[in-house]
């Protein structure tokens, strides 16, 4: 092999190794602790800080969680994580996939799971009961994609809305592993857009909203829980619009999914 080809070959090997290490780094587990809501029902809470209401209690089969640092002032709402406990005699290898729906902390834990999700980390139903008896466990976790088969993103008009003076809505069934960092509300006819405020959690709101049929534009970013600027931003524009005569409690099927 000529010196030039050998140099190119070594360069390619080095590049492939770097790419492999980068890919592996994105899948690394982070060590922490997890507890559970001691006074909750088996599923999640209907009054979580993300503002999902009853949707948050039953989302993902009730496998939901509160978090403190991962909540990120509401940006973390809707993010999914694989959480698995580390006791080999009780814990399964896969653990449980949870959706973040609330903010909360308990004695240095990163997650406060629903009782259902906490027990799901066990190898068996009996192991799950033993985990619940412990109250908290050492865990490891990583960010994963959210998946809701046969579901498009839903725009749910919040009950606090007051037509036509105040409009607030929640974005439900947020797929993929990217964060929604900004939302614009646009007049369909004129394409004039207004940047919305994050009222709290996953609730986006505007006083004196535009009139007529309205479209929503969502800015997607990264997916890395530790770095909001880790990837290039992109806008996602639903296919369906909020009707001109919107009303509190209504749900609009966006007609699209997040990748």
């Amino acid at each position: 092999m000529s010196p030039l080809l050998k140099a190119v070959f070594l360069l390619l090997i080095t590049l492939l190794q770097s790419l492999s290490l980068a890919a592996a780094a994105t899948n690394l587990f982070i060590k922490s602790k997890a507890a559970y809501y001691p006074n909750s029902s088996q599923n999640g809470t209907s009054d979580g800080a993300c503002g999902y209401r009853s949707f948050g209690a039953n989302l993902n089969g009730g496998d939901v969680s509160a978090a403190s640092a991962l909540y990120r002032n509401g940006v973390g709402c809707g993010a999914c994580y694989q959480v698995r406990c580390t006791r080999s005699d009780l814990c399964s290898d896969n653990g449980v996939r949870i959706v973040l729906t609330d903010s909360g902390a308990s004695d240095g834990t990163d997650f406060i799971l629903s009782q259902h999700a906490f027990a799901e980390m066990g190898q068996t139903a009996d192991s799950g009961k033993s985990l619940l008896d412990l109250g908290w466990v050492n865990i490891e976790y990583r960010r994963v994609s959210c998946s809701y088969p046969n579901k498009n993103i839903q725009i749910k008009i919040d009950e606090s809305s007051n037509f036509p003076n105040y409009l607030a809505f929640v974005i439900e069934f947020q797929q993929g592993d990217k964060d929604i960092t900004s939302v614009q509300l646009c007049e369909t006819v004129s394409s004039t857009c207004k940047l919305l405020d994050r009222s709290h959690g996953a609730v986006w709101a505007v006083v004196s909203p535009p009139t007529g049929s309205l479209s929503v534009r969502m800015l997607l970013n990264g997916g890395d829980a530790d770095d909001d600027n880790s990837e290039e931003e992109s806008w996602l524009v639903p296919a369906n619009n909020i009707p001109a005569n919107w009303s509190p409690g209504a749900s609009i099927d966006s007609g699209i999914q997040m990748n």
Side-chain angles (χ1 to χ4, degrees):
M1 181 182 295
S2 70
L4 178 59
L5 288 177
K6 186 176 181 179
V8 172
F9 178 76
L10 291 174
L11 180 62
L12 288 175
I13 292 296
T14 302
L15 179 60
L16 289 174
Q17 289 176 337
S18 299
L19 290 174
S20 297
L21 288 173
T26 61
N27 291 316
L28 289 178
F29 283 90
I30 300 171
K31 297 185 182 298
S32 184
K33 297 178 182 179
Y36 64 90
Y37 291 102
N39 300 319
S40 71
S41 64
Q42 287 293 310
N43 292 347
T45 176
S46 59
D47 58 357
C50 287
Y52 290 128
R53 299 182 185 263
S54 59
F55 173 79
N58 301 299
L59 179 62
N60 195 40
D63 290 337
V64 297
S65 180
S68 52
L70 295 173
Y71 178 75
R72 292 178 288 148
N73 295 318
V75 176
C77 291
C80 292
Y81 293 88
Q82 180 185 1
V83 181
R84 62 189 189 189
C85 53
T86 57
R87 283 192 52 163
S88 59
D89 58 328
L90 296 175
C91 305
S92 67
D93 292 335
N94 291 328
V96 63
R97 187 185 69 183
I98 60 91
V99 182
L100 197 64
T101 61
D102 196 5
S103 175
S106 174
D107 192 25
T109 64
D110 273 316
F111 296 94
I112 305 177
L113 303 171
S114 65
Q115 290 189 33
H116 185 269
F118 200 89
E120 280 291 295
M121 292 189 294
Q123 297 173 5
T124 64
D126 287 340
S127 298
K129 291 178 182 177
S130 297
L131 290 175
L132 289 171
D133 290 339
L134 293 174
W136 69 270
V137 290
N138 290 314
I139 60 147
E140 51 187 18
Y141 70 91
R142 63 181 176 181
R143 178 83 178 261
V144 295
S145 291
C146 297
S147 178
Y148 304 103
N150 304 316
K151 290 287 188 181
N152 294 323
I153 291 174
Q154 300 278 338
I155 299 171
K156 174 69 177 294
I157 308 298
D158 192 74
E159 285 82 353
S160 65
S161 298
N162 180 23
F163 182 85
N165 301 312
Y166 177 74
L167 173 60
F169 59 82
V170 179
I171 299 169
E172 301 176 342
F173 297 115
Q174 178 181 329
Q175 305 102 344
D177 62 352
K178 292 180 172 59
D179 298 321
I180 299 174
T181 56
S182 295
V183 172
Q184 289 183 343
L185 191 63
C186 306
E187 295 180 4
T188 305
V189 176
S190 67
S191 297
T192 301
C193 298
K194 186 172 186 177
L195 189 65
L196 302 190
D197 294 322
R198 187 188 294 274
S199 171
H200 63 280
V203 181
W204 300 88
V206 59
V207 177
S208 300
T211 58
S213 177
L214 304 172
S215 62
V216 175
R217 301 176 75 236
M218 294 170 277
L219 184 63
L220 308 182
N221 188 290
D224 185 340
D226 297 317
D227 184 2
D228 286 349
N229 298 311
S230 60
E231 294 182 15
E232 185 177 352
E233 297 177 331
S234 60
W235 285 98
L236 183 68
V237 183
N240 298 327
N241 299 322
I242 298 175
N245 58 341
W246 53 265
S247 59
S251 290
I252 297 94
D253 187 329
S254 72
I256 58 170
Q257 298 183 1
M258 290 171 59
N259 296 322

